[in-house]
Structure formats: structure tokens, C-alpha cells
Amino acid sequence: MKNTPFENIQKRIDSAAQILKLDSHITKLLLTPENIVEKTLEVETSKGKKSFPAYRVQFNNARGPYKGGIRFHHEADLDEVSALAAGMAIKCSVVGIPLGGAKGGVTINPKEYTEADLEQVSRAFAREMAPYLGVDKDIPAPDVYTNGQTMAWMLDEYEKVIGKNEPGMITGKPIVLGGSLGRDTATAQGGVYVLHTYLEKVEGGVKPKKIVIQGLGNAGGVAAEILHKAGHSIIGVSDSTGGVWSDAGFDPALVMKNKEEGKKLGEGLKLNSVTNEELLLLPCDVLVVAALDNQLREDNAGQVKAKIVLELANGPTTPEADKIFESKGIVVIPDVLANAGGVTVSYFEWVQNRQQYYWSLTEVQEKLKVIMVDSLHEVMNYQKKYMSSLRGAAYLLAVHRLYEAMRLRGRK
Ligand code: NAD
């Protein structure tokens, strides 16, 4: 039987702990969520009274308050939310920001409900979870099918419960409510900083590359624009409707314009059509996966022709595909590093809320670059020392930091 997402990440943490020869009692704690909060949200919706299961998994707070997004999805369940919570603890540790790991979820198909219904669900979540949240306790953020508006409703409801202002209890807020400049481009920008630093280290400079991008949302769409402006050749892109490609390269802004206007991606452009499955197998230098999890698997990894896979999505590569990539010499820049720019600027938002003083976009981007570049260097030091893949090295670095924080606190 296949492992569940939570079992997969537990295996990755455990194997790092074995390599580092860590104390087994602390390792056991490191594999287990510290708190699991399960609630049922009873909401009066446009379809009548409905009940929605809701979760908040607080995985680890040894390095700082719990941190992680909330997703609204019909398949959200405790196993998935636990896996994502563990992933947040690892990610915050890889980039060395003083936050722990958590995740939240509501089992709901948001497409079936009105905006007013979703406001009530968001408020119910904040009310039910209020005792567990807080600026020094647990700080949520947006995730799949939640956004700045969701955060604004949750902040408002939480502040009603506690009777005072506390903008730093949640991040990913609209700018007028204390959001940070640069949060909307942070994930893509952070990924590009890491990719360019990797190329500088390994190839001695950043030469133009042929790049394919799966997913044209906040992560992939922004990455396409930044990479194109940086002089790379975008040769293929896709969204949920399918993909387009041309070996000569094209301006992704033209495709994005079609997407925004509700047209087909390649309408009016001299581009070839491809399915999403074919797009992943196109010959290119860099494949950016920025859509969904489980895209690169045992059944297709052997046919991937990219030299580097940049994971802007969470969990796009299965452990079986990882092994195939390693054997073929394909380098994977892992999600816990490549897409950590998002949580890093969420951390900046939290810092700005706490000090009630806000930074310019330039300041945010400069600080983001320092963290992403330093983190890649640290991961590559571990890669060299333990002769592992970049993913293996990122887990070794993160698990080591988490373990030290737990050991020094006397947790066992
Ligand atoms: P989004 O909803 O803005 O965009 C998702 C994109 O993927 C859309 O263009 C959609 O059409 C496309 N898509 C959906 N199904 C597809 C398919 N089968 N094939 C190809 N494309 C498909 O989401 P996002 O915020 O860009 O997030 C994408 C991934 O990045 C997720 O795994 C998310 O967890 C991860 N991520 C995002 C951030 C962030 O700050 N946005 C941070 C960290 C990780």
C-alpha cells in the first residue's frame, strides 16, 4: 500500500534523524504533532445549515510560534493537514526564520458556496480556533482557495473575540490591514534567487536557460514573468486547461493576457498545444513545477528531460520519482527551500506588524534575497558534507536545527 502524505514526510524526517544519529526520544517527538485541534463548523449558508470539519495541526513550536496556512478544500483531511504542518516546521527551519510549523484546513468545496457563505465559514473558523491562535502562539496565512480577504475576515473575527487589535496574529493580509509589500511575488522571487545562486555556484554564472513552467498562478505566473525579464527563454507553460510550447521561446505575458481575458492560452499566438502530462516531458534546462502535488511520479519521472527541477509547488515530486531523478543526475531544488520565499515574507509581515513600522518593497526584496541565498549555501554545505541530494540536505539542516532547539529546551 502507498504511503500517505504524512507518512512520506515522517519518513524523510526520520531518515535525516538516523543519518544525524539523533536521540531516539527527541526524534519520536519530532515525528509527532504537538497539538491536533479538530472542530466542526456549524454555518448557516445559502444552502441551509451545514457542518464543515475543520482542523488546525500544530506540529512543532521549538523554534518559535506555530506558523502555516489554512486551506479550504473538499479533500482536506487530518492526514493532509498534518503533512503540510510538518512541512512548515521543516521549511521555517531550512530558511532559519524563528517560527514553528502548523497548518489548518476546512473540508469544503468553496466553488459550491457564495462569497457570503465563505465569509461565515472563515469567521466560524477564527471563532472556534481563537483559543489556539495568537501573535505569539500560532499565526495562520492563506493557502489553497483562501486569500487576503479570507485573512481579513478571520482577523476581524479573532479581534472581536479577544477585544483588541492584533494584526500580527495572521499574515497574507491586504496591505491596508497590515500586509507586507512584496508578499504577492515573494514565492516566485525567492525561487528565482535560489535558482540563480545555484547556477552561479555550479556553473560559475547565470546563462540564459530554456524553461518550462507548469502552473500559471501566484507562484508559476509570477515566476514566468521574472524569469523572462531575467533573460531566460520560456519555452512552455500550462494551467489546468492544458499547455502551450515553442522551442523558440515566447513572452509569457502574452499567454497570461489570454488567460486573464478568458481565452485559450495560445489563442492568436504561434504556439504548439500540449497536454499537461506532455509539458512535463519537454526537453528543457529547467522545469518549474508550480501547480499541484504528485506531478512527478514513478510512472513519468524516467521520461523527464529537464536538467533541473525547481519545486515552487508543495510536494510535486514523490519519493519514488526522487530516486529516479537522482539516478539520472537530474537536480531537484526542493519545495522546502525553493518556495520558502512565501513564508519568509509572511515572517517579515509579522515583524512589521509587531514593530508597527513598515518597510519599502526594496527593503523587503533585499532582506528576502539575503535569506534565500544564505539558505541555499547552508543546504549545499550539508549536501557536500553528507553527499546527499539537495532535498536530503535541506531535511538534514532543518531536522538538525529543530532537534537542537528541542534538546536545549529539555524536551524528551
Ligand atoms: P494558484 O491557485 O494561484 O495557481 C495554481 C495554478 O496551477 C493555476 O494556474 C492553475 O490553473 C494551475 N493548475 C491547476 N491544475 C493544474 C494541472 N493539472 N496542470 C497544470 N496546471 C494546473 O496557486 P499558487 O498560489 O500559485 O500555488 C501553486 C503551488 O505553489 C501550490 O502547491 C502551493 O501550495 C505552492 N505554494 C504557493 C505559495 C504562494 O505564496 N502562492 C507559497 C508556497 C507554496
Side-chain angles (χ1 to χ4, degrees), residues 14 37 51 97 112-113 129 157 174 185 224 242 274 282 288 304 312 322 346 370 381 394:
D14 195 35
V37 186
S51 304
I97 55 177
E112 290 176 357
Y113 290 90
M129 298 292 177
E157 194 66 25
T185 52
V274 273
L282 288 173
V288 181
V304 169
L312 292 187
D322 261 340
S346 274
V370 170
N381 288 341

Side-chain angles (χ1 to χ4, degrees), residues 71 91 143-144 183 187 214-220 238-240 259 276 290-292 295 312-314 339 342:
R71 65 174 50 181
K91 201 180 290 186
D143 192 66
V144 174
R183 174 62 188 91
T187 301
Q214 184 199 40
L216 283 176
N218 179 267
S238 71
D239 71 359
S240 56
K259 188 172 161 67
N276 257 305
L292 307 167
Q295 294 303 291
L312 292 187
N314 282 316
N339 71 29

Side-chain angles (χ1 to χ4, degrees), residues 93-116:
S93 186
V94 169
V95 288
I97 55 177
L99 294 168
K103 204 81 182 189
V106 179
T107 315
I108 179 174
N109 185 349
K111 291 182 182 162
E112 290 176 357
Y113 290 90
T114 64
E115 177 95 345

Side-chain angles (χ1 to χ4, degrees), residues 4 20 78 105-106 223 228-229 243 270 276 357 385 399 410:
T4 67
L20 293 164
L78 192 54
V106 179
H228 176 70
K229 280 196 190 123
K270 284 193 181 140
N276 257 305
Y357 182 76
K385 183 167 173 195
V399 168

